[in-house]
Amino acid sequence: MSADFADALLATDGGCPPGLTTWNGSAPEKRFAVYRNNVVVGLIDALADSFPVTQALVGEEFFRAMAREFVRAEPPRSPVLALYGDGFGDFIDRFAPVAALPYLADLARLEYLRILAFHAADASPLTQEALGGVLADEAALPLARFALHPSLFVLASAHAVVSLWAAHQAESDARQLAGLDTTRAESALVCRRELAVEAFRIAPGAACFIAALTRDASLGAAVEQALARDADFDLAATLALLLRAGAIVGITTPRRTQA
Amino acid sequence: MNQTVSAASLALAFGAAMSIAAAPVSAASHGGAMKAETEKCYGVAMKGKNDCKAGAGTSCAGTSKMDHQGNAWSMVPKGTCEKTMSKTSSTGKGQLMEFKEKKA
């Protein structure tokens, strides 16, 4: 019964699940159609709230039509509406009408990571003293493993997604968009510091390095992977960015743990 | 193991990173980061234009009911909040904390 009801909510044929009755004898199909419309429009509104830049790039009318297709294909699996849209980026990749906008899927992924970051758990950055303690044991550094903030995500894109996103923020102006080469590859570091979610544009080597750390690679191994990806990888600048973002919340070396 | 990265070079970079991170933020030392410094500013948003970035269903963005509502905020470039006009604010400018509107 509940599966029939859920299927009928997203059906396009206007049908009504079997067994529905109305208290005043009006047609159940009509009443159900009102409910169906509210459900679908509510989910489209949710996607519009969560993906404002994606919507700005294709226009409201197109976005809502695309979102309607997504709602039918991938209805929410959780009652938490704030996290609806997990698969929206992948859906956009397969959505033929936007094939001319190859950056759109990654832009939606970036917007979704910002929401995940907003709702991620809190964690305190390592103190200067703790960092000093790690640094004091130089020989153990290559095997050090980093615990990064739960709100930290890396997105490597073949398109200029961070610049595109930034150009659509309130503090930006149209000039940023005018000269933008969308085919320039960019990677994003998303991280929340207290209540503010930030998105940084990072070099490909830095993205590779941070992604390796999140997979629990040792510092030495992560640096080697990053250098293999990008000979210009700048370790000091990347670590400084992580420190500034408050993203390093623990470091474990074979001899000690700082957290 | 291909020892391309020595412990000494890691320590050097780590130490450099700590001093870069401890230095005041300037455009040059920001390590390629592009996020402008911003601050939360109360009382400067026009009706329905306040920011909120918590995703769908939690949405409080665009819900303020009046111009320059004292508990509605916008992200603005750092340092500009207390220079922005707010006709409901006792100081006549935006404030960094929520405030109770005075009669405009």
Side-chain angles (χ1 to χ4, degrees):
Chain A
M1 166 76 198
S2 65
D4 284 347
F5 192 87
D7 288 346
L9 271 180
L10 298 169
T12 50
D13 60 9
C16 159
L20 282 195
T21 55
T22 52
W23 66 278
N24 62 358
S26 63
E29 309 81 59
K30 279 195 177 165
R31 310 305 292 268
F32 189 75
V34 172
Y35 183 55
R36 169 164 44 214
N37 188 54
N38 284 341
V39 168
V40 173
V41 169
L43 291 172
I44 294 172
D45 286 346
L47 293 169
D49 281 347
S50 292
F51 298 92
V53 179
T54 309
Q55 172 166 274
L57 284 169
V58 296
E60 185 177 345
E61 193 182 349
F62 187 96
F63 180 88
R64 295 189 72 86
M66 178 168 75
R68 183 175 293 271
E69 296 294 316
F70 175 72
V71 166
R72 291 217 179 92
E74 298 182 38
R77 289 179 301 264
S78 147
V80 182
L81 204 53
L83 300 182
Y84 182 48
D86 186 7
F88 198 40
D90 291 351
F91 174 85
I92 290 173
D93 260 340
R94 299 187 304 267
F95 192 61
V98 289
L101 307 177
Y103 48 81
L104 197 65
D106 278 347
L107 196 110
R109 290 186 182 101
L110 177 60
E111 292 199 286
Y112 191 75
L113 291 180
R114 291 179 54 85
I115 293 171
L116 286 185
F118 191 94
H119 293 283
D122 291 330
S124 304
L126 276 190
T127 61
Q128 287 291 318
E129 294 72 49
L131 291 166
V134 172
L135 194 50
D137 189 3
E138 183 182 306
L141 270 182
L143 293 174
R145 286 183 157 75
F146 285 49
L148 300 178
H149 197 280
S151 70
L152 178 142
F153 298 97
V154 174
L155 177 72
S157 177
H159 310 283
V161 281
V162 188
S163 300
L164 263 174
W165 180 86
H168 283 84
Q169 301 312 301
E171 60 260 36
S172 158
D173 63 50
R175 277 171 302 182
Q176 267 179 274
L177 208 48
L180 190 62
D181 173 12
T182 60
T183 62
R184 183 183 64 208
E186 285 185 358
S187 296
L189 173 68
V190 174
C191 193
R192 191 189 75 235
R193 175 136 213 181
E194 290 164 12
L195 288 177
V197 176
E198 306 203 80
F200 303 96
R201 182 175 57 211
I202 55 176
C208 177
F209 171 75
I210 298 168
L213 291 183
T214 63
R215 290 191 302 267
D216 206 29
S218 67
L219 180 60
V223 170
E224 282 175 21
Q225 289 177 33
L227 285 170
R229 169 77 177 76
D230 175 4
D232 294 329
F233 169 61
D234 184 342
L235 176 61
T238 307
L239 285 174
L241 175 64
L242 290 173
L243 288 171
R244 245 195 229 291
I248 301 177
V249 300
I251 296 179
T252 307
T253 61
R255 283 190 280 277
R256 67 162 80 209
T257 296
Q258 296 287 356
Chain B
M1 187 173 117
N2 178 14
Q3 196 68 39
T4 54
V5 191
S6 70
S9 67
L10 290 179
L12 200 64
F14 201 107
M18 284 179 64
S19 33
I20 298 170
V25 179
S26 73
S29 69
H30 215 72
M34 60 168 310
K35 177 78 173 68
E37 289 281 305
T38 56
E39 59 194 4
K40 245 185 191 185
C41 188
Y42 287 91
V44 297
M46 289 295 146
K47 181 169 81 179
K49 294 286 183 194
N50 57 313
D51 285 355
C52 185
K53 290 164 184 169
T58 59
S59 192
C60 51
T63 55
S64 64
K65 296 291 187 281
M66 56 184 279
D67 287 352
H68 303 165
Q69 186 171 314
N71 65 359
W73 53 273
S74 300
M75 293 306 282
V76 299
K78 202 154 192 104
T80 63
C81 176
E82 288 167 309
K83 296 182 184 122
T84 306
M85 191 275 286
S86 172
K87 63 181 191 241
T88 59
S89 167
S90 55
T91 60
K93 307 289 179 191
Q95 298 184 24
L96 298 175
M97 304 289 288
E98 269 183 51
F99 60 87
K100 185 98 188 86
E101 305 89 13
K102 70 178 174 72
K103 289 270 184 286

